[in-house]
Amino acid sequence: MSDILRYSIDELSALYRAKKLAVRDVVDAYLARIDEAEPSIKAFLAVFPDEARARAAELDERGHDGSILYGVPVAVKDNICTRGAATTCASKILERYRPPYDATVVERLRLSGAVILGKTNLDEFAMGSSCENSAFQATRNPWDTERAPGGSSGGSAAAVASGMALAALGSDTGGSIRQPAALCGVAGLKGTYGRVSRYGLVAFASSLDQIGPLARGVRDAARVMEAIAGHDPNDATTIPEPAPALSADLDKGLDGLRLAVPAGLDRWRMDEPVREIVLQTVARLAEEGMKPETVELPGMETSIASYYVLANAEASSNLARYDGVKYGYRAGSGALAEMYERTRGEGFGEEVKRRILLGTYVLSSGYYDAYYGKAQRVQALIREQFRAVFRKFDLVMLPTSPTPAFRLGERLADPIAMYLSDIFTTPANIAGFPAISVPAGLSPDGLPIGMQLFAGWGRESVLLRGACGLERVFRFRERFPGPAAGGGRLS
Amino acid sequence: MNERGYEAVIGLEVHAQLVTATKIFCGCPAVYGADPNTLVCPVCLGLPGALPVLNREAVAMAVRMGLATGCRVAGLSVFARKNYFYPDCPKNYQISMYDRPLCEDGFVEFELGGEWRRVGIERIHLEEDAGKLLHDAGGGSLVDFNRCGVPLIEIVSRPEIRSPEEASTYLVTLRRILRYLEICDGNMEEGSLRCDVNVSVRRAGETALGTKTEIKNLNSFRAVDMGIRWEMDRQIETLSKGGRIEQVTNLWDAASKRLVEMRSKEQAHDYRYFPEPDLRPLEVAAEWIEALRRSLPELPVDRERRLRRHYGIPPYDASVLCGEKGLADYFEAVAGAGADAKLAANWIMREVLEEMKSGPAAPRSDPGAVSSAGPFGFEAPLDPSRLAGLIALVKKNAVSGSAARDAFKEMVRSGETAETVVARLGLAQESDSAALEKWIDEVIAENPDEAARYRAGKTALLGFFVGQVMKKSRGTANPKLTGELVRVKLGT
Ligand SMILES: [Zn+2]
């Protein structure tokens, strides 16, 4: 296990500046780690060793120019467009699709000096919570390869957790960054809706999707976020104002922040170790003089219901373009309708088809008001209720996932159980505020458990400050070096 | 009302392509006639991950149309997705507007058969155009996405139109407004103005609406008229025989001049409209609306009324001259340069329009070519002051009508003024009695037989003498004066 793999973004940057390390060495170390770990993890759908080495050479040639991710090896979820390189969404229907343009975030990664190592696995079109809905492979959880890494950004989470990338981009529609981050013991950040451009993110549910970073720690996640955030003239839903200095307050600690925990944790089904860790954390914070108050948290049950209506409705429309006419998979040779049916019937996986059908149904004439209309009204209500919460509190702390990593295949036959994995994460998407998952501890089975923070709209700097504070309380990486440091069951 | 006691209830949905520089949601040029699939990008191709960004110029044009038709412009309107599968629609949904359109509740006015009519406009909304399917001989189909994302406004009338004539006059009126605003070139052959029609019939006097059918693909004023007639006849025929009208969509086949059924009610689409999540609701500030209102030109119907009142020209002339803004501007410039208004109207409607072989209302022969004056330019063959100069000579009888027409052609060719051309070609009308009498005497001397017959009472020969004098004078003799003098000379 190379020491190089242990460095954080800031540490790498300092070493590059001092010319004690070449980007080439770092990239080689990561590529070697991929060679070593990838066969058992299957986090990547594509690795770009040649491009990464060429890029490293170019960066070494140029020298450190102060750009924020100079020489940082990153992985990108495969629903984010990379010019000329397959962007499959882990779907057969886009298996050979190569976009002619880079997503804005990819462009910004390149401009920030990052080195893109490859594209990571996901649940097909980001629909799922286990990464098992990939048409190509099931990614394994680096802490226990019999278990799922979570999803849908499971490939990105597993790559970071196993040290195959220093950071990665994921996308979060209902928790798809935070849940796998929690299950893999890494940090995962979803910004305020509109903070990061969606241009080039293959849409699942446009009004909920946000790209964000997964990294080993909060500080690294903040660095990547700084590189990709901000207004994009190509995405009309991005926030027009420039992103605030996201990491300015990182070290200010938890003192002075008004922190809340949801009242009545017993009401929600969650595994005992998860409940335990919440209680322990509250106790720890109290010891340090911080008394989290309890707050009646709105929209926990209703947001998951409205989430599955809104997200699937948008998905049914967003995924209509995959029809065999222009690109991607095509089946059938006869009449147009036959081509449509066979292309989509054979090209999409079961979960995607299930959601397209659900989404089509809830938008249908005669059902719109009962489902889509109602879900929108619920969404407006949840947003209003959270506005009230954030008037009183800076942060809300709650678990990310009701359970640690589950066994592969365990929930495939039970979509409802799978959907309930998102119960704690969907409010942030439904209401659009920022949220982060921070690794908090291990279950008795040695599986990571994540703690989540919510903050008010546009308050990423407070969110990151709180997350950094929590990180210091948990000291997760020091206590459980895990597979990223060659620990876990991989080494 | 129909001779069999039925009346029609007709509503029009008109799609007008806006002449923005770029498409509605991307930066591709919005122009007609380029090679297939050369004016495309990830956005208008609907590639995975691409997002629309609204073109403000298209909004401004749509708002101007709304204001010109007396609509209420919404401070907040919402784009919506209209979902349907068709290969010319790359996303398989069209970004349009649904329950929160940009403009609502307007009207247009026009005169038909000497009566002023007012047709209500239900709504005007913005949307993107689709691509074009090309069916090749081998049975395959190709698709050209150049047109994808060209901005359209859809103008939906209330079902207040009662006859095919009214429908086509309404359409002409809309087209004229669009062209006055310079937001759509109104070219139906190229498809920049398209029309779908809803038709139902009912017994005169009834207030309930009958079952309506839709006619698509009415791509000329004539097709609108013929298509509606065809469908009215069919419906009246069916009802007269005790049949029922089914809710169908028909396609007008211009080649065979008949309607072809496209889809029945069972096949009707459920478009599953929902708010477009990739675009924020469209906010149009009140100050912007007011600025756009101030930018409106005088509208054709107002101008038509003013021209009649101010210049005393007949309604028909006013309506022809106001058919194009450039034409009306030209008329007023000629009149403003001192020409008699009625003469000016005649000269412009005949000589000038005839001279402009590719007149503004005529289709361009080469669809790819745009005249240097753009789609709204009006390039008159004579500048207003020179035409006014010629008309002044006509008015004071200094040239005859036929000599003036010759002078006009020569002025167009040479660029000279009327006086110069008339002098150079000797086209001035001779009204001097002495000169005329000299020619008359010569003609009488040369034609003694005719003179004798005239004197014997064959006065119909007057024309012969005048003609001979005209010939002798090379067309410059004042024919009226010549006639009078001939009569005197031959003693009648
Ligand atoms: Zn384009």
Side-chain angles (χ1 to χ4, degrees), chain B residues 23 26-28 39-45:
Chain B
K23 295 183 180 182
C26 65
C28 294
L39 305 176
V40 292
C41 73
V43 176
C44 54
L45 286 175

Side-chain angles (χ1 to χ4, degrees), chain B residues 9-332:
Chain B
V9 177
I10 301 165
L12 263 63
E13 289 171 15
V14 174
H15 288 90
Q17 274 183 354
L18 301 177
V19 293
T20 48
T22 55
K23 295 183 180 182
I24 185 168
F25 297 125
C26 65
C28 294
V31 297
Y32 181 87
D35 286 343
N37 297 313
T38 53
L39 305 176
V40 292
C41 73
V43 176
C44 54
L45 286 175
L47 292 188
L51 297 172
V53 176
L54 180 60
N55 177 348
R56 301 290 287 181
E57 193 191 1
V59 179
M61 289 184 179
V63 169
R64 293 176 80 229
M65 187 60 184
L67 294 173
T69 52
C71 285
R72 195 173 62 241
V73 178
L76 196 75
S77 49
V78 176
F79 283 98
R81 290 190 186 173
K82 180 180 181 179
N83 295 284
Y84 65 96
F85 276 78
Y86 204 63
D88 66 2
C89 181
K91 302 185 293 294
N92 285 326
Y93 61 79
Q94 178 196 30
I95 304 178
S96 178
M97 288 177 149
Y98 184 54
D99 51 0
R100 308 276 305 265
L102 183 57
C103 309
E104 282 183 285
D105 280 338
F107 63 88
V108 295
E109 287 178 295
F110 50 86
E111 199 174 17
L112 185 63
E115 254 178 73
W116 281 97
R117 287 278 299 129
R118 179 185 270 227
V119 172
I121 288 184
E122 191 179 303
R123 56 188 278 151
I124 300 176
H125 70 245
L126 272 168
E127 60 186 30
E128 57 180 341
D129 208 344
K132 252 184 195 160
L133 282 186
L134 313 157
H135 302 285
D136 71 15
S141 294
L142 301 168
V143 56
D144 174 9
F145 290 117
N146 281 351
R147 203 177 67 177
C148 262
V150 168
L152 293 177
I153 47 175
E154 180 173 333
I155 306 162
V156 182
S157 85
R158 295 197 183 282
E160 295 175 351
I161 297 169
R162 293 289 174 266
S163 69
E165 298 82 4
E166 226 173 84
S168 47
T169 311
Y170 165 81
L171 189 57
V172 167
T173 306
L174 279 189
R175 181 182 185 275
R176 197 166 69 160
I177 299 171
L178 290 164
R179 287 190 53 90
Y180 265 61
L181 299 177
E182 302 190 352
I183 61 175
C184 169
D185 66 19
N187 190 325
M188 294 192 81
E189 286 74 17
E190 287 175 9
S192 51
L193 189 66
R194 306 196 282 272
C195 181
D196 299 337
V197 177
N198 288 302
V199 186
S200 65
V201 299
R202 64 185 172 196
R203 289 209 166 269
E206 273 180 30
T207 48
L209 292 172
T211 305
K212 69 177 180 187
T213 61
E214 192 182 8
I215 314 172
K216 287 189 172 290
N217 205 29
L218 293 167
N219 291 336
S220 68
F221 295 105
R222 198 168 147 69
V224 170
D225 187 87
M226 292 175 72
I228 294 174
R229 273 177 215 285
W230 174 287
E231 180 58 17
M232 279 175 67
D233 286 349
R234 191 188 68 82
Q235 290 189 16
I236 292 168
E237 183 90 15
T238 306
L239 292 175
S240 311
K241 287 182 183 158
R244 269 184 45 209
I245 304 299
E246 300 294 334
Q247 196 182 319
V248 292
T249 299
N250 292 314
L251 213 59
W252 177 251
D253 180 19
S256 66
K257 297 193 170 41
R258 55 195 297 270
L259 291 176
V260 188
E261 185 171 319
M262 188 167 113
R263 58 176 175 254
S264 64
K265 188 186 182 184
E266 290 71 40
Q267 297 162 298
H269 287 129
D270 176 0
Y271 291 119
R272 292 176 283 116
Y273 281 100
F274 72 102
E276 167 56 273
D278 288 332
L279 292 166
R280 293 175 186 277
L282 171 57
E283 286 179 53
V284 182
E287 306 84 72
W288 195 31
I289 297 176
E290 285 320 303
L292 290 169
R293 194 191 298 279
R294 286 191 297 276
S295 80
L296 293 181
E298 183 182 23
L299 295 169
V301 68
D302 299 330
R303 191 160 201 186
E304 203 178 318
R305 285 171 171 149
R306 181 172 62 78
L307 257 51
R308 284 195 206 175
R309 204 172 54 236
H310 186 265
Y311 296 99
I313 56 172
Y316 173 78
D317 293 15
S319 104
V320 171
L321 291 173
C322 290
E324 288 290 336
K325 183 171 173 294
L327 189 62
D329 289 346
Y330 182 67
F331 165 75
E332 292 210 71

